[in-house]
Amino acid sequence: MTAEARGEWQGWRAAAEAALYGPDGFYRRPEGPAGHFRTSVQASPLFAEAVARLLCRADEALGRPAELAFVDMAAGRGELAAGVLAALPAEVAVRARGYAVEITERPEGLDHRIEWLAEPPKGITGLLFANEWLDNVPVEVAEVDSAGEARRVLVRGDGRERLGEPVSAAEARWLARWWPLPAEEGLRAEIGLPRDEAWAAAVATVERGLAVAVDYTHAADARPPFGTLTGFREGRATAPVPDGSCDITAHVALDACLEACALPGGRVLTQRDALRTLGLTGARPPLALASTQPAAYVRALASAGEAAELTAAGGLGDFGWLLQPVGVSDVLTD
């Protein structure tokens, strides 16, 4: 890598912003995110079907409005939005309107009912759903120096790091509130303030309905001591190098995002609990079905395997779901 390619020292937020969303950024590649990592959307169509059921619950709570919006944040190639619309009952589908929010060009052949946007529409009635969006909102990284002070981590395009200025002002207040770092050299944290702001702005576009963020997460009582910043390329974890060659991601402090909205009724639960409430259990079909209806048994067994992956402990089931009702009661109850 040339000196020019290595670039200047800058904070991780600016470096990741350029590497992910700049003119030659990772998320502008033609293969899309699915070419490098597998989310719940790609794992099984059952995920879109469950989100469609959630949209139907929101529809009922909203009194079946004339237009029911489904907003898919960080939509990739529109896979979730298309899957949700396809899974809706006819009576709901006729009133549904899909919005896919993404920085790339609209894919060819996408369902004509889905509007392709760079920003979420304002004043919607329905469901805003952000699956693995917030983990790609770039943040600064802080590290404790030899004197016990938290400093901003600076990085170059080749991934080399050094410590910069002390963390101060709003970022220091965020650390003190949400991720206090003991005075032990080498401890690290990701400063989630931009994610709080991004989530609050997204929720503000919902006039009535529900906003949901699904992501890797950790809670205030169990923050990882060295942070979670990592890269992904072609399905494998790799070093986070901000040169546009890989995804750059970090787990999300959903508890901080929840408080940033300053709205009642919000909560965080696991994907396992959310999907089970929406009818996905991962339970094996009755063995008796194998002898009476063998084809149906095979289909049910495959479906159970996919549901088990989506709800698995130590895997996708541990993802957090941040639920924020806006003007309605919590619709994700048994």
Side-chain angles (χ1 to χ4, degrees):
M1 181 178 288
T2 66
E4 182 180 357
R6 286 194 295 268
E8 299 298 323
W9 294 103
Q10 57 185 331
W12 264 107
R13 184 181 181 186
E17 183 74 32
L20 295 178
Y21 306 115
D24 299 316
F26 178 81
Y27 276 100
R28 295 190 184 277
R29 292 185 165 203
E31 71 270 19
H36 294 272
F37 51 86
R38 189 166 175 257
T39 71
S40 296
V41 178
Q42 285 84 37
S44 171
L46 294 177
F47 188 78
E49 293 170 12
V51 175
R53 288 193 288 275
L54 181 60
L55 180 58
C56 289
R57 290 189 179 204
D59 183 46
E60 291 182 13
L62 291 164
R64 296 181 175 84
E67 180 175 302
L68 179 69
F70 176 72
V71 180
D72 181 10
M73 296 292 295
R77 296 300 178 265
E79 300 97 333
L80 179 60
V84 167
L85 292 184
L88 291 173
E91 188 277 329
V92 179
V94 73
R95 293 182 287 107
R97 184 170 181 181
Y99 300 90
V101 181
E102 188 53 86
I103 64 169
T104 57
E105 295 296 322
R106 180 188 181 94
E108 293 184 7
L110 186 66
D111 190 321
H112 70 278
R113 294 175 295 172
I114 299 172
E115 188 172 348
W116 196 261
L117 301 171
E119 300 287 341
K122 292 180 170 59
I124 70 151
T125 297
L127 172 61
L128 180 143
F129 201 88
N131 185 62
E132 295 194 44
W133 168 51
L134 289 173
D135 68 298
N136 286 128
V137 172
V139 294
E140 299 291 0
V141 178
E143 182 175 320
V144 179
D145 66 13
S146 59
E149 186 170 21
R151 292 181 174 272
R152 183 177 294 179
V153 177
L154 305 181
V155 65
R156 294 199 305 182
D158 59 2
R160 291 181 60 195
E161 294 180 334
R162 69 173 175 86
L163 297 186
E165 69 280 6
V167 176
S168 62
E171 292 179 344
R173 291 192 293 273
W174 190 94
L175 278 181
R177 170 69 177 88
W178 292 108
W179 199 331
L181 287 169
E184 181 180 333
E185 185 177 6
L187 296 183
R188 290 171 67 125
E190 291 102 29
I191 305 173
L193 185 60
R195 292 166 174 183
D196 296 356
E197 294 168 346
W199 178 241
V203 173
T205 67
V206 181
E207 183 173 319
R208 291 183 66 231
L210 180 67
V212 180
V214 181
D215 238 311
Y216 305 92
T217 190
H218 42 61
D221 59 354
R223 304 290 190 215
F226 302 105
T228 61
L229 188 72
T230 191
F232 279 95
R233 183 189 299 114
E234 297 178 353
R236 296 179 180 273
T238 185
V241 178
D243 61 358
S245 68
C246 66
D247 185 25
I248 298 172
T249 180
H251 294 197
V252 182
L254 288 178
D255 46 3
C257 295
L258 173 62
E259 186 172 293
C261 283
L263 290 174
R267 62 186 175 115
V268 177
L269 68 163
T270 65
Q271 175 157 297
R272 182 182 313 106
D273 289 340
L275 291 183
R276 284 176 177 171
T277 301
L278 292 168
L280 270 67
T281 65
R284 292 174 62 92
L287 190 59
L289 189 65
S291 56
T292 58
Q293 300 181 57
Y297 176 77
V298 171
R299 290 194 298 271
L301 192 62
S303 180
E306 293 176 5
E309 181 183 2
L310 290 170
T311 58
L316 294 174
D318 290 344
F319 272 45
W321 279 44
L322 168 52
L323 301 161
Q324 183 58 68
V326 181
V328 297
S329 60
D330 188 342
V331 303
L332 195 60
T333 55
D334 291 319

